[in-house]
Each structure stands twice: as C-alpha cells, then as structure tokens.
C-alpha cells in the first residue's frame, strides 16, 4: 500500500523539476495588443514601467491632427485618447515632411517631429511635443546657426530638450554636438528655457521668465538627442 506521505527516491534516480518561469515572464513584460494599423508610432515606456506604452495616431478630424491613446493589454478594450493636438505646420498637411517618434514617460507622452531636409538625411528642424492636460502641443527645439560637417548642415550644437525637474516637465538648453563644450548656447535658446504653457490659441507658449535650472539636477527624458 502506498503511503500518502512523501515518496522516497532510489539512489541515482533523477527528479524532474519544473522550470521557474516567474523571472522569464517578468522580463518579457506585459502581454499587449498589437498597435493599430492607423498608428504612426509606438511610444515605448522604459522596461521597468511594466506598461504597454502609447500609440501616436492620426486623428480623422482634420489636417495634421494627431491623438495619443494607451496601448491596451491583451484582451482589454481599446482605451479612449488621452491627448489630441496639431502637428507642426512644417510637417505638411499629410505629415509628409516629418518623421514622428517618441517615448512614453512618467510625465506623459513625449513626441519628436523631425522635419526632413532636402540636402541630406539630416533634419532641418526638430519639434518636441508633450501633453498639457488633454492637449498635445509642440515647441521648436533647434535654434541658432547650424554646424557644418563634410559640407552638410548637421543642426545646432545646443537644443531645447525635455527634462523631469521635480515632477515638472521643463525644456532646458542641452548640448547636442561636441562644439557645445566650447560654445555657449544661443541667447534666444536660453531665453526659452523653463516650463512651457498652452496659450489661448491652443499652442505652446514659452515661459514669461527664463528658468536658470541646471539640467544636471533633473532627469533627462530622452536617452539621446536627434
């Protein structure tokens, strides 16, 4: 008769152990629905966020209209948009002149609109977009004279970049090229540093007074600058 207690193993007998998939499943992250075909870009969150990210989509209500909505987990219904707005005019009525991408951050969506140039693959302007409440707004990030390399304009040494400063989104001057180590930021760029607002026209508006916040005291939202 078999005992209901533990079964003893014979010497040399191997015991099969089920693999521990806990860490493997965690590393894979959440199971997410595929981004919709109408999506322009998937704004991915950092791996540690454990979220599915956000989808940047065309909004069918007009030219250059965009919306951002969360990507649902597998089996969940499609969420409502969290922000709507208008892409920069330089992108063209059908967004044909821009490449759009970005990230999903703790402060919300951060969208980059890179305006294609005619001389090379290097953009001629880059706009930074973010959600101010339920409004998606953009601000120009390149100011000043462009540097030149191999007879090609490669953009300015300094740009406005998004930072998390104590839980507030701020656009601050940041060095983009090696020249920034020996050249000061353009005065027009410095004057635009700080927390931007949304004007009565629904577009982004620079701060009334430039911030003097040191970017090294804040968290950089973008891993690299275009």
């Amino acid at each position: 008769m078999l005992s209901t207690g533990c079964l003893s193993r014979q010497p040399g007998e191997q015991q099969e152990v089920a693999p521990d998939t806990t860490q493997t499943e965690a590393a894979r992250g959440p199971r997410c629905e595929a981004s919709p075909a109408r999506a322009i870009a998937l704004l991915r969150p950092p791996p540690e966020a454990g979220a599915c990210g956000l989808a940047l989509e065309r909004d069918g209500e007009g030219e250059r209209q965009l919306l951002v909505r969360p990507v649902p987990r597998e089996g969940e219904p499609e969420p409502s948009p969290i922000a709507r707005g208008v892409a920069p005019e330089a992108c063209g009525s059908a967004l044909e002149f821009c490449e759009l991408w970005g990230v999903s951050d703790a402060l919300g969506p951060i969208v980059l609109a890179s305006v294609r140039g005619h001389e090379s693959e290097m953009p001629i302007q880059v706009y930074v977009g973010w959600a101010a409440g339920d409004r998606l707004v953009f601000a120009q990030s390149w100011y000043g004279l462009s540097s030149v390399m191999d007879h090609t304009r490669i953009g300015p040494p300094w740009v406005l970049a998004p930072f998390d400063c104590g839980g507030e989104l701020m656009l601050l001057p940041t060095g983009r090229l090696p020249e920034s180590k020996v050249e000061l930021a353009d005065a027009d760029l410095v004057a635009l540093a700080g927390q931007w607002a949304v004007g009565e026209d629904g577009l982004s508006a620079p701060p009334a007074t430039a911030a003097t916040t040191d970017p090294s005291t804040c968290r950089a939202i973008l891993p690299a600058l275009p």
Side-chain angles (χ1 to χ4, degrees), residues 2 22 28 67 84 114 123 134 161 163 201 214:
L2 291 176
T22 305
R28 290 175 183 168
L67 64 81
R84 280 185 161 95
S114 178
D134 61 356
F163 285 83
D201 56 1
D214 183 353

Side-chain angles (χ1 to χ4, degrees), residues 169-185:
L169 178 67
M170 300 186 75
L171 300 183
L172 301 176
T174 306
R176 171 179 166 269
L177 298 176
E179 294 96 304
S180 64
K181 299 183 183 301
V182 295
E183 296 181 12
L184 295 176

Side-chain angles (χ1 to χ4, degrees), residues 93-188:
S93 60
L95 308 178
E96 67 271 24
F97 301 130
C98 276
E99 179 182 357
L100 293 107
W101 76 103
V103 298
S104 174
D105 187 76
L107 296 184
I110 300 296
V111 181
L112 296 175
S114 178
V115 184
R116 301 185 186 94
H118 301 290
E119 297 180 354
S120 67
E121 296 181 355
M122 182 62 60
I124 58 175
Q125 182 57 257
V126 176
Y127 293 85
V128 177
W130 68 95
D134 61 356
R135 186 73 180 176
L136 180 65
V137 294
F138 288 85
Q140 179 179 323
S141 71
W142 284 14
Y143 291 86
L145 296 176
S146 176
S147 296
V148 177
M149 178 181 292
D150 296 332
H151 308 290
T152 301
R153 294 183 179 88
I154 58 174
W158 290 85
V159 297
L160 279 180
F163 285 83
D164 176 355
C165 300
E168 299 290 343
L169 178 67
M170 300 186 75
L171 300 183
L172 301 176
T174 306
R176 171 179 166 269
L177 298 176
E179 294 96 304
S180 64
K181 299 183 183 301
V182 295
E183 296 181 12
L184 295 176
D186 186 272
D188 291 339

